[in-house]
């Protein structure tokens, strides 16, 4: 897997429990990269904009908690006019080239409401155009640590994106 916008490694922590190997990570924050390297022995790349997708080792899963400041209810709500709001396009640039089987993407719950839901629909459309099945009805869900018995309310939207080459609509996806 690759771990984009990796922070200190939430996705890494989860996928490691399934014996998955991280082949590349990326985060712009110096301190996060330092902690990630200490925790996992992988030095994250600094800037997703500078990553050449053709040079990334092949992988099956792309994970990304892409920047939420543009969509957060607590932020300035710059939406797609804020450069951070379009960084999901770099995820799609990499996915288009490498064609992983799955993408697990995460963002704030408010991403569904900003701009009357147009941004959310745009992101879903762009993911589908890139060759992935994602649908609000059966592969996008809301999750918060408190739902898992962890005493923190931090509501998130999780996009489970399945490469259309392997997606089988006859199989029910149940989360």
């Amino acid at each position: 897997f690759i771990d984009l916008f990796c922070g200190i490694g939430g996705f890494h922590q989860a996928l490691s429990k399934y014996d998955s190997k991280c082949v590349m990570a990326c985060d712009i924050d110096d301190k996060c990269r330092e902690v990630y390297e200490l925790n996992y022995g992988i030095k994250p790349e600094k800037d997703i904009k500078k990553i050449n997708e053709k040079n990334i080792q092949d992988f099956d899963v792309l994970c990304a908690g892409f920047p939420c400041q543009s969509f957060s209810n607590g932020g300035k709500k710059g939406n797609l006019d804020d450069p951070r709001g379009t960084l999901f396009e770099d995820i799609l640039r990499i996915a288009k080239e490498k064609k992983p089987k799955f993408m697990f993407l995460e963002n704030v719950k408010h991403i569904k409401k900003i701009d009357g839901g147009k941004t959310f629909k745009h992101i879903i459309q762009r993911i589908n155009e890139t060759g992935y099945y994602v649908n609000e009805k059966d592969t996008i869900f809301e999750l918060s640590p408190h739902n898992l018995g962890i005493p923190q309310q931090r509501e998130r939207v999780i996009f489970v994106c399945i490469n259309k080459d392997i997606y089988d609509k006859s199989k029910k996806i149940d989360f």
Side-chain angles (χ1 to χ4, degrees):
F1 70 95
I2 66 170
D3 199 357
L4 305 176
F5 309 101
C6 64
I8 60 170
F11 277 119
H12 193 121
Q13 192 73 208
L15 288 174
S16 292
K17 292 181 181 188
Y18 296 96
D19 294 326
S20 296
K21 180 183 176 196
C22 183
V23 297
M24 195 268 290
C26 179
D27 200 282
I28 200 150
D29 185 274
D30 292 335
K31 295 292 183 191
C32 286
R33 284 195 320 279
E34 184 179 313
V35 170
Y36 197 97
E37 186 173 11
L38 286 170
N39 285 343
Y40 306 112
I42 296 170
K43 184 174 184 171
E45 300 290 326
K46 182 173 182 163
D47 188 348
I48 193 167
K49 294 276 189 202
K50 294 180 180 176
I51 292 174
N52 182 339
E53 61 276 14
K54 294 177 186 335
N55 295 336
I56 300 172
Q57 179 179 333
D58 288 342
F59 57 92
D60 293 319
V61 178
L62 183 156
C63 301
F66 60 104
C68 64
Q69 297 92 334
S70 303
F71 314 116
S72 175
N73 204 24
K76 294 182 180 178
K77 299 177 192 79
N79 204 2
L80 299 176
D81 294 329
D82 179 341
R84 296 172 297 186
T86 60
L87 287 171
F88 73 89
E89 289 290 348
D90 288 291
I91 296 167
L92 301 181
R93 168 179 57 86
I94 292 168
K96 188 173 184 178
E97 173 66 29
K98 301 309 285 185
K99 299 180 180 15
K101 293 175 183 171
F102 299 95
M103 291 192 296
F104 300 127
L105 310 178
E106 173 270 328
N107 212 286
V108 293
K109 182 179 174 180
H110 195 259
I111 198 170
K112 294 172 84 174
K113 296 179 183 176
I114 194 162
D115 195 23
K118 291 178 191 170
T119 298
F120 186 61
K121 288 183 185 354
H122 172 75
I123 291 170
I124 292 170
Q125 178 184 341
R126 289 291 300 123
I127 292 168
N128 277 291
E129 290 170 356
T130 305
Y132 289 83
Y133 176 79
V134 67
N135 182 297
E136 191 170 0
K137 185 179 79 173
D138 58 8
T139 65
I140 297 174
F141 59 98
E142 295 177 18
L143 187 63
S144 177
H146 76 278
N147 300 128
L148 304 169
I150 298 166
Q152 180 186 31
Q153 185 155 345
R154 187 174 163 94
E155 296 173 309
R156 292 291 185 260
V157 173
I158 310 294
F159 300 75
V160 177
C161 312
I162 306 164
N163 189 306
K164 289 180 181 177
D165 290 341
I166 66 166
Y167 174 68
D168 181 349
K169 66 181 175 185
S170 70
K171 296 200 166 126
K172 182 175 174 7
I173 300 168
D174 188 22
F175 296 103

